Amino acid sequence: MTLLESVGRFSIRQAEYIGRLAIQFWYCLRFSVRASPFQGRGLRWQRTLRQMGDIGVRSLPVLCLVSGATGMIMALQAGAELRRFGAMEAIVTMVGTTMTRELGPLMAAIVVIGRSGSAISAEVATMAVTEELDALRAMALDPIDFVLVPKYLAMLVMLPCLTVMSVFSGILAGGVFAYFTLDLTLLAYLSRTAEILLMRDIVSGLVKAVIFGSIIVHVSCLEGFTVSGGPVGVGHSTTSAVVKSIFLVVLADLLCTTFFYFFWR
Amino acid sequence: MTEATGSTTKRSDLPRQAGRDPVISVRDLKVRYGERTVLDGVSLDIYQGETMVILGGSGSGKTTLLRHMEGLERPAEGSVTVKGVDLGTASRTTLTALRRSMGVSFQSAAMFNSMTVGDNVALPLLEHSTLAESTIRVMVRIKLQQVGLTHVEDLYPTQLSGGMRKRASLARALALDPEILFFDEPSAGLDPVIAAGLDDLILHLKSAFSITIVVVTHELTSAFLIADRMCMIYEGKILAVGTVDEIRSNPDPRVQQFIRREADQPSEASSRYIVGA
Ligand SMILES: Nc1ncnc2c1ncn2[C@@H]1O[C@H](COP(=O)(O)OP(=O)(O)OP(=O)(O)O)[C@@H](O)[C@H]1O
Ligand SMILES: [Mg+2]
């Protein structure tokens, strides 16, 4: 009975959470339409640009390092096995497709969760605790419109860009490995990779980036908006924003990959 | 209770609001936080152009009542109607539209810490008016001057003193020339001279623009000066509503205790203190 009860309570909480995310997403879409650079004073557009700097540009160095290392690790691990079959050439395919479809977007998302997701939830939660969000509402500015939408639009632009950079540095690292083990020049390696990659690989990577970006911004903001318990709560909401974002991003990745596996071969 | 020390100041009768529809109307509002009942069936009408002062002990639910009238909390039980809009059922967009005619100053000031004071005050104007940016900058300076602040536009809220922050938040609340103003303890933490200046500002606002003003305050002198009507909250209920004179002559001992600033259950020491006063 108690087990049933706790399972029930757990499901209700999850359903409620998903519901909240959905409502927030709906309002965000409605407000996003108004954020065009040609309307009003262009203030929303300016805020979006500032967020783009925060989310995108400053994550780039660390992302390139992380993805480069990931590409290299993959080449090394695959190489260790493929060597036994004399199929080292397959490394080019493996690194190219896996980075583009899978690890490029995933690494970009992980880095952005760590850098921006946590920062977003801390910022929003602090605003909630200090009544700044109430002050916004009181002056007829919807916090979703004023706080979330610029971050969301910035993320929609920046995460795909970051993903491209991430994919590129991963593939490049694979190229370095290929140069030393396969006697393949970097140019030859890159053109081989370009031959191998299909439209499907690139599109699925970018679609994932858009989905991951939506998850990161919405989860982080929701954690911030629903903070409770004063300044201590800010820390909690940051932690849970990171944990929930990572979990949901990986889950979404699984769903996307399954979808592409079955429906777009 | 001891004999009344009621002052003899007579206020000329203010125009009564008889026959008009209330701008804000609270009906049987009940608010609970967990087990705890904060507001227990509050009903209150506030009319166009009047200044309503809400009195009550610390933690009696004044801020909670104000937040419901501002539409920041949805009433769970009972109803709150502002300018004919039921805040319990109004859509998010309706609420936002309604709030354009409100100015709110929070107990905690609630300035945006990531913006300068000038930008804080300019924000509602930038967002909701079509005025030129240079005009807005001039208006910001005027609004800040009204609350006695000069040369603070380029400072950040954290660089101001508590009292200065409070006044800056008043300036922000005034920015859009609202029809309804909510002040949560505007003069808390201000020195007497500035507090008096604030009273003058409120009196000016109401005589010049006939704004509806709702003020929560602990400063009794100020309360009696600015109020058209007052109400007193005690343990989640409205104990008394009425004009200044009606409140002064209210027979309820708890009201009298509050407006005569007596400590709970007057002991030897505190009654001596009162006699001495
Ligand atoms: N979000 C909340 N969660 C739980 N309890 C709350 C919440 N907000 C207010 N309360 C409780 O409601 C009661 C009334 O709070 P409120 O802030 O309205 O008091 P107040 O009359 O404004 O007091 P003060 O004069 O000290 O500002 C308090 O006892 C407080 O503990
Ligand atoms: Mg209060």
Side-chain angles (χ1 to χ4, degrees):
Chain A
M1 192 59 200
T2 42
L3 180 71
L4 199 67
E5 221 173 73
S6 57
V7 167
R9 200 165 292 157
F10 178 80
S11 324
I12 289 173
R13 254 211 316 271
Q14 301 315 310
E16 195 183 318
Y17 184 74
I18 301 291
R20 279 187 184 173
L21 268 183
I23 292 171
Q24 181 180 296
F25 189 66
W26 167 241
Y27 276 108
C28 173
L29 288 186
R30 276 180 49 181
F31 286 126
S32 296
V33 180
R34 297 198 305 153
S36 94
F38 310 108
Q39 262 185 14
R41 234 179 267 273
L43 288 174
R44 287 180 176 75
W45 197 239
Q46 284 172 22
R47 281 196 286 273
T48 306
L49 281 178
R50 202 171 319 131
Q51 292 293 331
M52 282 183 187
D54 279 354
I55 292 171
V57 183
R58 295 195 201 130
S59 314
L60 199 54
V62 67
L63 175 62
C64 287
L65 285 176
V66 168
S67 297
T70 311
M72 186 61 93
I73 290 169
M74 209 168 55
L76 284 165
Q77 291 285 13
E81 291 301 309
L82 293 172
R83 197 164 45 191
R84 296 194 296 156
F85 305 108
M88 285 295 267
E89 303 281 307
I91 282 181
V92 182
T93 322
M94 278 201 65
V95 173
T97 51
T98 318
M99 277 318 289
T100 313
R101 287 191 221 154
E102 191 59 44
L103 290 178
L106 195 61
M107 287 301 140
I110 302 270
V111 166
V112 167
I113 288 171
R115 272 197 86 263
S116 309
S118 57
I120 288 172
S121 65
E123 181 192 334
V124 176
T126 307
M127 289 182 83
V129 168
T130 55
E131 290 190 304
E132 286 181 39
L133 293 182
D134 287 332
L136 276 180
R137 292 200 276 149
M139 58 175 71
L141 296 173
D142 198 305
I144 290 186
D145 186 12
F146 191 83
V147 179
L148 197 156
V149 166
K151 294 183 196 303
Y152 184 57
L153 294 179
M155 187 67 91
L156 281 188
V157 175
M158 289 324 274
L159 197 57
C161 293
L162 287 172
T163 297
V164 169
M165 295 309 289
S166 161
V167 168
F168 194 69
S169 27
I171 290 180
L172 213 58
V176 172
F177 179 81
Y179 179 77
F180 286 111
T181 55
L182 293 177
D183 284 333
L184 208 59
T185 65
L186 212 54
L187 209 64
Y189 170 83
L190 286 180
S191 65
R192 281 277 276 286
T193 308
E195 279 166 29
I196 289 160
L197 285 183
L198 301 173
M199 199 48 164
R200 161 190 186 278
D201 301 326
I202 297 167
V203 169
S204 77
L206 292 180
V207 165
K208 279 180 183 177
V210 168
I211 294 174
F212 295 170
S214 310
I215 291 176
I216 295 169
V217 171
H218 280 277
V219 168
S220 304
C221 282
L222 185 60
E223 288 306 315
F225 285 139
T226 54
V227 65
S228 63
V232 185
V234 177
H236 285 308
S237 81
T238 310
T239 311
S240 88
V242 169
V243 172
K244 282 180 186 163
S245 301
I246 290 183
F247 174 72
L248 287 176
V249 160
V250 172
L251 194 68
D253 195 1
L254 175 63
L255 293 178
C256 283
T257 310
T258 316
F259 178 84
F260 280 109
Y261 180 84
F262 284 112
F263 295 103
W264 192 2
R265 308 187 205 215
Chain B
M1 285 292 137
T2 47
E3 90 289 313
T5 52
S7 77
T8 48
T9 346
K10 284 277 176 334
R11 288 170 60 94
S12 56
D13 258 343
L14 288 149
R16 287 305 303 269
Q17 321 294 335
R20 283 201 233 169
D21 285 336
V23 179
I24 303 172
S25 156
V26 182
R27 285 282 164 278
D28 290 323
L29 181 65
K30 288 198 180 76
V31 180
R32 290 196 189 85
Y33 287 116
E35 299 287 283
R36 182 135 166 228
T37 305
V38 177
L39 293 180
D40 188 12
V42 166
S43 297
L44 183 65
D45 283 330
I46 297 172
Y47 296 92
Q48 161 65 41
E50 78 172 342
T51 301
M52 170 66 87
V53 170
I54 300 175
L55 299 172
S58 188
S60 57
K62 306 182 294 296
T63 301
T64 309
L65 176 60
L66 218 53
R67 287 177 64 84
H68 279 83
M69 295 199 277
E70 291 153 4
L72 294 174
E73 316 276 355
R74 299 262 186 179
E77 265 181 78
S79 73
V80 179
T81 316
V82 176
K83 287 172 64 178
V85 177
D86 185 345
L87 299 189
T89 55
S91 75
R92 209 174 166 127
T93 6
T94 318
L95 270 185
T96 304
L98 183 66
R99 289 201 188 103
R100 287 203 192 193
S101 57
M102 293 182 182
V104 177
S105 156
F106 289 82
Q107 193 167 3
S108 65
M111 299 294 280
F112 303 120
N113 287 314
S114 58
M115 300 180 200
T116 63
V117 173
D119 288 345
N120 262 277
V121 181
L123 182 65
L125 291 163
L126 284 168
E127 288 285 341
H128 295 312
S129 75
T130 51
L131 298 169
E133 183 125 13
S134 53
T135 321
I136 290 180
R137 292 295 150 192
V138 176
M139 287 183 70
V140 166
R141 208 165 310 137
I142 295 172
K143 297 290 174 189
L144 284 169
Q145 258 161 20
Q146 277 190 330
V147 293
L149 289 175
T150 46
H151 307 299
V152 295
E153 287 103 309
D154 295 325
L155 296 178
Y156 282 88
T158 45
Q159 296 171 306
L160 300 185
S161 77
M164 288 164 85
R165 251 200 309 276
K166 194 85 200 213
R167 282 184 282 157
S169 88
L170 293 178
R172 190 178 63 183
L174 294 173
L176 277 177
D177 298 323
E179 293 166 37
I180 310 173
L181 264 172
F182 296 98
F183 288 155
D184 200 344
E185 307 204 6
S187 48
L190 300 185
D191 69 56
V193 178
I194 290 173
L198 216 58
D199 291 343
D200 285 345
L201 174 65
I202 291 176
L203 289 172
H204 168 71
L205 286 173
K206 93 179 182 194
S207 66
F209 305 108
S210 84
I211 302 177
T212 311
I213 308 177
V214 186
V215 189
V216 167
T217 185
H218 286 303
E219 299 291 324
L220 289 169
T221 350
S222 148
F224 283 117
L225 182 68
I226 58 178
D228 295 327
R229 291 196 307 146
M230 345 174 82
C231 74
M232 182 166 164
I233 302 190
Y234 183 82
E235 288 184 350
K237 289 198 168 68
I238 294 221
L239 209 55
V241 197
T243 61
V244 174
D245 294 327
E246 283 165 4
I247 291 290
R248 255 193 240 278
S249 55
N250 191 295
D252 193 307
R254 289 162 299 185
V255 177
Q256 287 304 318
Q257 181 192 12
F258 193 89
I259 63 175
R260 279 187 277 140
R261 315 179 66 186
E262 290 168 355
D264 263 339
Q265 285 147 2
S267 64
E268 283 282 298
S270 63
S271 46
R272 211 182 313 129
Y273 176 74
I274 288 162
V275 169

